C-alpha cells in the first residue's frame, strides 16, 4: 500500500519514494503536520515572558503586558530575520577566515580565482602586491566590518552598493553598523518588554537585509570565487543518475564550500584513489546535494573529476540516501534536515559534522580548523572508506538512473553571463528593449513541501513566466528543483513563449539561467544592478521582479529583506508569519513602494502570481518608454 | 445521528477550533482573518474549568434542546434526522429567551446583528471547520443513539 505523502513536481522522485514503502521521509510526515496553529501562522503568539504564551483574539486584543498584535508580530518577525541574517553572516565569517588563513599559509589549499582577488583588492584599496598578502588583507577588510560595533557603519557597504540605493538607504538611516552587532541588538530590541514600535523593528529588518545581501550573499560568493575558482558556463548532469555505485560517494550538506577546499582536491590524488581501489571502488566522488552541491556544480569547470553532479535539493536529500549509493554525509550548515539521520541509520550511512552549527545527533563531530585541514581530510577519507567497506555488502543499491537530465546549463554568474553576452549587458538590454524578452524574473530560494508540494509552485510559476516571454534567473534549492524537472536544459526552450523561445534556440540556452546556490541570489541581484547601471536607472524602475515562491527558512526571510531594501518587488507563495498585524502587512505590501521602492506580494496561486509579476514588468516597461 | 464529541485529554487549548469557526462564519480563511475585529465571533469556546483544567465548550445539539423549547419565533429547530439544532437568523426576533435557557451558554447574540448566533455544525461543509483545524484530534463527530442529552 502506498503511504500518504506530499506530492512533488518531480514525478520520478515520487515513483522512487513510492517504491520504498518502508522508507519514511519528510514527504510522509508533511500530511501529518498539515493542521497548523492559526496563532503561530499569524505571528500573534508571544512567549517572551512567564505570563505567556499570550495570543491575540478579538476578545483579548493585548497580551498580559499590554503588547498588541503589531508589537508581537514585529518582535517575532525581527527575531526570525535576525536569525536568518546570523546564518548567512556565519557563512561569510568562516569563508573570510578561511581565505585569510590560506593567505597566511595556514590552510593548505591553492587559490583558484586570482583574477577575482585582484578585482577585490582594487575595489577595497588593498595595495599589497603579493597574492597571499592580498588575500589576507581582503579577508581582513571583510572580517573587520563584520566585527564592528553597531555604532560604526560597515565601510565596504559604500563600495559594494549601487549608488542610488546607497543614497536611499542613507535617507532611511538603514545602513548597517557592524553586522554581527546589528543581529545582537535585534535580539536585545525584541526581548521582553523592550521595543514595542513595529515600524522601527521593520526598519531594523531592512538593515539586516542589507548586511545579509551584501556580505552574507554577495561577499561570500566573491570570496568563494577567489578560493574555489570562478564559475564558467558549462553543461552537467543532474538527478539521481549522477550517483555511480562504483565509487565511494560522499554527500556534503551545507553552504560553506571553502571548508571542503582541501578535501575535494585530496579526494582525487593518486594516494586517495589507491585507498579506494584497495577496497574495490574506482575512487571517490562528491555527490551534489543542497546548496554546496549547487556551488560545486556552478564551479564545475574546476571540479570535473571529483564532482559527480548535483543530485537534488534540500528535500531530495533523504531519498538520495535511500538509493543506497551514498557512504558518507559531511554536514557543515543547513539544509541538513533532521530526517536525514533516520534514513542514514536505515541505510548505514556514516555522518560527520565539521561545523557544530550543523551537528546532527547521530553524527560524529570533527570540527573544521583550516590549520588542521590535512589531518581532517585524512580522517574524512578514512571514515568514507570504512563506511563503504562496512555497508556495501549489506545494503541494497537502487539508483534510478533515469532520474534527472544530462544537459543542465550551469556556471552562470554576473561575470560569466557578461562574458557570454560579449563583454557587457548590452545584448540582454537590446533583447529587453525590443520586447523579445519582456523582462526578467528571479525565481529563487528554497523548496518547501507546503506551497502545493515539493517544487510544485516553483516549477509552475517558472513555466507560466517563460510562457509569457519573461526570462527566469534562478538560484538556490529552487534551481535544484527546476533542474530535475528539465527547465534548465536547452530543450526547455520549447516551453517558452515564441519570442523567448527564438532567443533561447538561437543562443542554445534554456529559458531559465542557473546561478547555483542560494548564496547566488546575490549574483542574480548583481545582474539587476548591472542592468540598472547600463540603463542609468535605479532598481525600482527595472522590468525585473523577484519571487521566492517556496521560501522555507529564516535565512530566506533575511534574503527577502535584502530584495525589499534593493527596491525589488518580491513575491512569496506563503506569507511569512506576520498576517496578524495590519501595520506590518500594510507596510510591506502597500507602503513599501514609497519607502524603498520594493513591495511584498503574497499570492498563493500560480497563475494569479504570474499575472501580478507580469503586470509589474509591463508597467516598468512603459515607465522606461518601452 | 452524529454528535460532536470532545476528548478533553487531547485538547491543548490552542484555540485553533475558535479561529476556524470565526473564519468560517466570516467567509475568510485564517490568514486573512482580522483578529482585532471584535465582530468576529466563534460559536465554540476554550475556557478554563473551576478546577483550572482546559474546558472546550461546544454546542451539544441536545436531544431535547432547551433553546428550541424557548424559541417563540420558530427560528430554532431540531432536525430529527441529523440531530442538528439549527438557527434561522431571518426568523429570529432577538428576544434572547434561547440565550437564557441554554444550560451550557452555547447560544449568544450575534455581534453583527440583533439576532442569535450558534454552532450550525458546518452543515454546508463536508467537515466541520473546528474538526478540520484541530491539530490533536480532540474534536470528532461520533454516531450516537437516541435519548442522549
Amino acid at each position: 500500500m502506498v503511504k500518504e505523502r506530499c506530492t512533488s513536481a518531480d514525478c520520478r522522485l515520487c515513483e522512487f519514494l513510492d517504491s520504498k514503502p518502508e522508507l519514511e521521509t519528510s514527504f510522509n510526515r508533511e500530511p501529518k503536520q498539515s493542521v497548523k496553529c492559526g496563532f503561530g501562522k499569524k505571528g500573534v503568539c508571544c512567549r517572551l515572558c512567564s505570563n505567556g504564551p499570550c495570543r491575540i483574539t478579538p476578545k483579548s486584543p493585548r497580551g498580559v503586558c499590554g503588547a498588541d498584535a503589531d508589537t508581537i508580530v514585529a518582535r517575532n518577525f525581527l527575531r526570525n530575520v535576525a536569525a536568518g541574517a546570523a546564518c548567512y553572516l556565519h557563512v561569510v565569517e568562516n569563508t573570510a577566515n578561511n581565505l585569510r588563513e590560506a593567505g597566511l599559509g595556514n590552510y593548505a589549499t591553492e587559490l583558484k580565482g586570482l583574477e577575482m582577488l585582484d578585482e577585490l583588492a582594487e575595489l577595497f584599496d588593498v595595495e599589497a602586491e603579493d597574492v597571499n598578502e592580498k588575500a589576507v588583507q581582503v579577508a581582513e577588510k571583510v572580517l573587520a566590518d563584520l566585527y564592528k560595533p553597531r555604532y560604526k557603519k560597515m565601510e565596504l557597504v559604500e563600495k559594494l552598493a549601487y549608488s542610488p540605493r546607497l543614497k536611499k538607504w542613507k535617507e532611511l538611516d538603514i545602513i548597517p553598523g557592524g553586522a554581527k552587532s546589528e543581529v545582537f541588538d535585534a535580539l536585545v530590541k525584541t526581548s521582553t518588554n523592550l521595543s514595542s514600535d513595529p515600524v522601527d523593528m521593520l526598519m531594523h529588518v531592512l538593515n539586516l537585509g542589507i548586511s545579509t545581501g551584501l556580505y552574507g550573499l554577495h561577499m561570500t560568493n566573491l570570496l568563494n570565487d577567489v578560493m574555489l575558482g570562478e564559475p564558467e558556463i558549462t553543461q552537467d548532469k543532474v538527478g539521481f543518475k549522477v550517483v555511480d555505485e562504483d565509487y565511494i560517494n560522499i554527500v556534503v550538506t551545507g553552504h560553506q564550500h571553502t571548508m571542503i577546499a582541501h578535501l575535494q582536491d585530496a579526494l582525487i590524488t593518486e594516494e586517495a584513489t589507491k585507498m579506494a581501489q584497495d577496497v574495490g571502488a574506482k575512487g571517490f566522488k562528491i555527490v551534489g546535494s543542497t546548496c554546496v552541491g549547487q556551488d560545486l556544480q556552478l564551479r564545475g569547470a574546476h571540479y570535473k573529476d571529483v564532482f559527480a553532479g548535483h543530485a537534488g535539493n534540500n528535500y531530495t536529500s533523504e531519498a538520495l540516501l535511500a538509493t543506497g549509493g551514498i557512504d558518507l554525509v559531511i554536514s557543515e550548515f543547513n539544509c541538513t534536515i533532521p530526517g536525514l539521520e533516520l534514513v542514514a541509520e536505515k541505510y548505514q550511512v556514516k555522518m560527520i559534522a565539521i561545523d557544530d552549527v550543523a551537528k546532527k545527533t547521530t553524527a560524529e563531530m570533527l570540527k573544521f580548523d583550516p590549520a588542521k585541514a590535512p589531518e581532517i581530510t585524512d580522517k574524512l577519507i578514512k571514515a568514507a572508506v570504512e563506511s563503504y567497506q562496512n555497508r556495501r555488502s549489506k545494503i541494497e543499491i537502487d539508483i534510478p538512473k533515469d532520474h534527472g537530465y544530462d544537459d543542465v546549463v550551469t556556471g552562470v554568474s554576473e561575470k560569466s553571463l557578461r562574458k557570454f553576452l560579449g563583454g557587457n549587458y548590452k545584448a540582454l538590454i537590446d533583447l529587453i528593449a525590443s520586447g523579445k524578452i519582456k523582462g526578467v524574473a528571479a525565481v529563487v530560494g528554497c523548496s518547501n513541501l507546503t506551497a502545493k508540494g515539493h517544487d510544485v509552485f516553483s516549477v509552475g510559476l517558472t513555466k507560466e513566466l517563460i510562457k509569457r516571454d519573461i526570462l527566469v534567473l534562478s538560484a538556490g534549492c529552487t534551481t535544484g528543483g527546476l533542474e530535475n524537472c528539465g527547465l534548465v536544459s536547452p530543450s526547455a526552450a520549447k516551453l517558452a513563449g515564441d519570442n523567448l523561445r527564438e532567443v533561447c534556440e538561437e543562443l542554445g540556452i534554456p529559458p531559465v539561467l542557473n546561478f547555483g546556490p542560494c548564496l547566488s541570489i546575490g549574483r542574480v541581484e548583481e545582474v539587476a544592478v548591472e542592468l540598472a547601471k547600463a540603463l542609468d536607472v535605479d532598481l525600482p524602475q527595472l522590468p525585473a521582479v523577484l519571487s521566492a515562491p517556496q521560501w522555507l527558512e529564516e535565512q530566506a526571510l533575511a534574503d527577502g529583506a535584502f530584495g525589499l531594501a534593493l527596491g525589488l518587488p518580491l513575491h512569496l507563495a506563503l506569507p511569512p508569519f506576520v498576517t496578524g498585524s495590519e501595520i506590518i502587512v500594510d507596510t510591506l505590501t502597500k507602503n513599501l513602494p514609497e519607502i524603498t521602492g520594493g513591495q511584498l506580494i503574497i499570492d498563493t496561486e500560480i497563475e494569479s502570481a504570474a499575472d501580478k509579476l507580469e503586470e509589474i514588468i509591463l508597467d516598468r516597461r512603459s515607465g522606461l518608454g518601452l | 445521528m452524529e454528535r460532536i464529541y470532545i476528548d478533553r485529554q487531547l485538547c491543548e487549548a490552542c484555540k485553533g477550533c475558535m479561529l476556524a469557526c470565526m473564519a468560517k462564519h466570516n467567509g475568510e480563511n485564517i490568514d486573512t482573518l482580522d483578529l482585532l475585529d471584535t465582530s468576529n465571533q466563534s460559536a465554540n469556546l476554550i475556557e478554563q474549568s473551576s478546577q483550572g483544567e482546559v474546558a472546550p465548550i461546544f454546542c451539544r445539539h441536545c436531544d431535547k434542546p432547551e433553546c428550541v423549547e424557548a424559541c417563540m419565533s420558530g427560528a430554532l429547530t431540531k432536525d430529527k434526522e441529523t440531530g442538528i439544532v439549527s438557527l434561522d437568523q431571518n426568523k429570529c426576533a432577538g428576544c434572547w429567551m434561547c440565550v437564557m435557557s441554554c444550560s451550557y451558554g452555547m447560544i449568544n447574540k450575534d455581534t453583527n446583528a440583533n439576532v442569535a448566533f450558534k454552532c450550525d455544525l458546518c452543515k454546508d461543509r463536508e467537515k466541520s471547520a473546528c474538526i478540520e483545524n484541530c491539530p490533536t484530534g480532540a474534536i470528532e463527530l461520533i454516531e450516537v443513539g437516541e435519548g442522549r442529552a
Side-chain angles (χ1 to χ4, degrees), chain A residues 3-5 16-33 315 317-322 337-347 449:
Chain A
K3 281 173 296 175
E4 194 184 4
R5 65 153 169 78
F16 179 73
L17 290 168
D18 290 344
S19 74
K20 306 218 167 297
E22 75 296 348
L23 174 71
E24 186 200 286
T25 68
S26 303
F27 286 74
N28 311 114
R29 290 184 290 268
E30 188 276 335
K32 294 177 191 141
Q33 290 288 350
Y315 282 105
S317 55
E318 290 163 303
L320 176 61
L321 297 201
I337 60 173
L340 269 187
E341 296 165 42
L342 304 170
V343 187
E345 204 173 355
K346 190 172 168 60
Y347 289 86
L449 301 186

Side-chain angles (χ1 to χ4, degrees), chain B:
Chain B
M1 179 183 310
E2 286 177 320
R3 190 72 63 74
I4 278 206
Y5 172 75
I6 309 291
D7 186 339
R8 276 194 186 201
Q9 299 301 318
L10 290 179
C11 178
E12 293 289 346
C14 75
K15 302 185 186 180
C17 51
M18 293 171 66
L19 287 183
C21 187
M22 278 190 253
K24 189 256 172 181
H25 286 287
N26 287 279
E28 307 261 347
N29 62 46
I30 289 174
D31 285 332
T32 55
L33 181 69
D34 182 356
L35 288 182
L36 299 184
D37 180 353
T38 52
S39 71
N40 278 328
Q41 195 171 12
S42 171
N44 51 45
L45 297 171
I46 304 293
E47 300 283 342
Q48 213 170 27
S49 73
S50 51
Q51 286 83 39
E53 289 164 346
V54 172
I57 311 175
F58 285 67
C59 173
R60 299 173 170 227
H61 297 270
C62 307
D63 276 352
K64 290 175 184 158
E66 303 278 354
C67 58
V68 176
E69 291 279 316
C71 181
M72 293 182 289
S73 68
L76 280 159
T77 50
K78 180 168 176 77
D79 187 309
K80 281 190 181 136
E81 286 204 357
T82 62
I84 297 175
V85 174
S86 300
L87 167 72
D88 181 347
Q89 288 193 327
N90 294 321
K91 289 187 184 167
C92 177
C95 72
W96 318 126
M97 289 306 288
C98 55
V99 177
M100 283 187 275
S101 63
C102 176
S103 320
Y104 307 100
M106 289 320 290
I107 186 158
N108 288 290
K109 183 187 171 302
D110 190 305
T111 48
N112 294 307
N114 207 37
V115 291
F117 174 79
K118 76 174 289 298
C119 166
D120 58 2
L121 216 59
C122 294
K123 58 187 171 191
D124 53 331
R125 294 165 53 123
E126 202 175 308
K127 200 172 186 186
S128 302
C130 55
I131 296 176
E132 201 171 77
N133 207 44
C134 177
T136 64
I139 317 166
E140 57 180 332
L141 269 187
I142 56 160
E143 191 63 35
V144 294
E146 293 290 321
R148 282 182 50 164

Side-chain angles (χ1 to χ4, degrees), chain A residues 326-596:
Chain A
I326 306 301
D327 302 292
L328 171 67
V329 173
I330 300 174
S331 60
E332 41 86 351
F333 207 71
N334 75 346
C335 308
T336 314
I337 60 173
L340 269 187
E341 296 165 42
L342 304 170
V343 187
E345 204 173 355
K346 190 172 168 60
Y347 289 86
Q348 301 183 32
V349 185
K350 171 84 178 166
M351 293 186 80
I352 298 178
I354 57 170
D355 185 333
D356 66 357
V357 300
K359 172 71 177 73
K360 311 312 286 185
T361 313
T362 53
E364 186 186 318
M365 186 66 221
L366 181 59
K367 195 168 171 48
F368 177 76
D369 173 353
K372 293 183 188 154
E375 192 185 315
I376 291 162
T377 291
D378 189 50
K379 285 185 182 166
L380 291 170
I381 290 178
K382 283 183 179 148
V385 169
E386 196 187 338
S387 172
Y388 176 91
Q389 265 185 306
N390 288 344
R391 62 185 291 283
R392 285 297 183 109
S393 59
K394 301 173 201 154
I395 298 294
E396 187 204 352
I397 305 273
D398 174 20
I399 302 164
K401 300 274 185 179
D402 57 344
H403 177 254
Y405 288 81
D406 292 316
D407 55 355
V408 155
V409 175
T410 178
V412 187
S413 72
E414 68 282 17
K415 268 181 78 180
S416 67
L417 179 61
R418 193 196 302 137
K419 201 169 143 195
F420 177 79
L421 292 168
N424 57 51
Y425 277 86
K426 191 174 173 302
L428 181 55
I429 288 170
D430 288 347
L431 288 169
I432 294 172
S434 70
K436 289 270 180 203
I437 293 176
K438 226 178 258 175
V440 292
V443 182
V444 296
C446 323
S447 176
N448 60 40
L449 301 186
T450 42
K452 297 190 182 290
H454 176 240
D455 296 330
V456 174
F457 206 110
S458 311
V459 167
L461 180 65
T462 300
K463 284 185 176 168
E464 273 298 324
L465 292 170
I466 61 174
K467 203 162 78 185
R468 298 165 195 228
D469 293 328
I470 295 166
L471 179 68
V472 169
L473 315 184
S474 185
C477 279
T478 304
T479 318
L482 298 179
E483 285 170 342
N484 282 357
C485 291
L487 287 161
V488 193
S489 298
S491 57
K494 64 178 182 292
L495 300 174
D498 290 345
N499 287 322
L500 180 58
R501 177 180 183 160
E502 195 187 316
V503 172
C504 290
E505 286 177 346
E506 200 174 309
L507 298 173
I509 58 168
V512 178
L513 301 183
N514 164 15
F515 284 72
C518 63
L519 292 162
S520 287
I521 296 170
R523 296 190 191 275
V524 173
E525 284 158 341
E526 205 51 34
V527 170
V529 168
E530 296 256 12
L531 292 175
K533 268 185 199 166
L535 288 165
D536 196 23
V537 296
D538 194 4
L539 289 164
Q541 290 160 267
L542 276 187
V545 292
L546 263 177
S547 172
Q550 300 206 243
W551 75 275
L552 179 74
E553 319 164 330
E554 290 176 320
Q555 270 171 267
L557 295 176
D559 281 348
F562 184 50
L564 296 175
L566 280 177
L568 295 170
L570 168 68
H571 161 257
L572 304 175
L574 298 170
F577 305 127
V578 298
T579 56
S581 163
E582 203 179 326
I583 290 183
I584 304 280
V585 172
D586 282 357
T587 306
L588 293 174
T589 60
K590 292 182 190 153
N591 307 330
L592 209 57
E594 301 299 315
I595 304 170
T596 65

